[in-house]
Amino acid sequence: QVQLVESGGGLVQPGGSLRLSCAASGRTFINYAMGWFRQAPGKEREFVAVIGWNGGRRNYADSVTGRFTISRDNGKNTAYLQMNSLKPEDTAVYYCAAGTISSSREPTNYRYWGQGTQVTVSA
């Protein structure tokens, strides 16, 4: 089992920044690719970003490319999502997930999920 806990969400004005963290415990963190997904009210969960076990093979959704950066610190068992130039359409619950398939954009390929953290972008 891998337990994932997200933090860092909140209310931010358009153009602002937030950094989300995902702390992992349980099985060896380094064995897993880490992904970030989000779900807005009334919409399906969508892929945001993914990073491979060694920090490589980063992949982003087109809607966040150039604004969001995914990273990880295997020594701290933590993954991050730096979000800059936030837009109202980024408002959603953000989830981190752990899976064994690198660079996957499919939620079904992720076995472990956090509880989510709310990000609201509004003036």
Side-chain angles (χ1 to χ4, degrees):
Q1 285 279 26
V2 175
Q3 292 78 42
L4 303 174
V5 179
E6 302 97 335
S7 61
L11 173 65
V12 63
Q13 293 186 344
S17 298
L18 283 174
R19 188 175 83 154
L20 305 183
S21 298
C22 174
S25 60
R27 289 181 178 264
T28 307
F29 178 71
I30 198 171
N31 288 344
Y32 296 93
M34 297 299 298
W36 285 95
F37 294 79
R38 66 187 182 186
Q39 188 166 18
K43 295 187 176 181
E44 293 187 354
R45 190 168 299 190
E46 66 173 357
F47 167 79
V48 176
V50 62
I51 187 168
W53 68 271
N54 63 350
R57 305 197 69 175
R58 305 183 195 197
N59 200 345
Y60 297 93
D62 290 345
S63 59
V64 306
T65 296
R67 299 188 298 122
F68 291 12
T69 302
I70 190 170
S71 62
R72 65 189 294 163
D73 184 336
N74 289 338
K76 295 182 178 180
N77 286 357
T78 303
Y80 304 97
L81 185 68
Q82 178 67 43
M83 306 186 295
N84 298 330
S85 302
L86 283 160
K87 304 175 181 180
E89 51 264 45
D90 295 317
T91 295
V93 177
Y94 283 71
Y95 299 88
C96 68
T100 57
I101 299 176
S102 292
S103 298
S104 176
R105 296 181 172 224
E106 293 297 327
T108 55
N109 285 331
Y110 290 81
R111 183 173 182 180
Y112 302 106
W113 291 81
Q115 84 290 347
T117 185
Q118 176 71 46
V119 171
T120 302
V121 185
S122 175

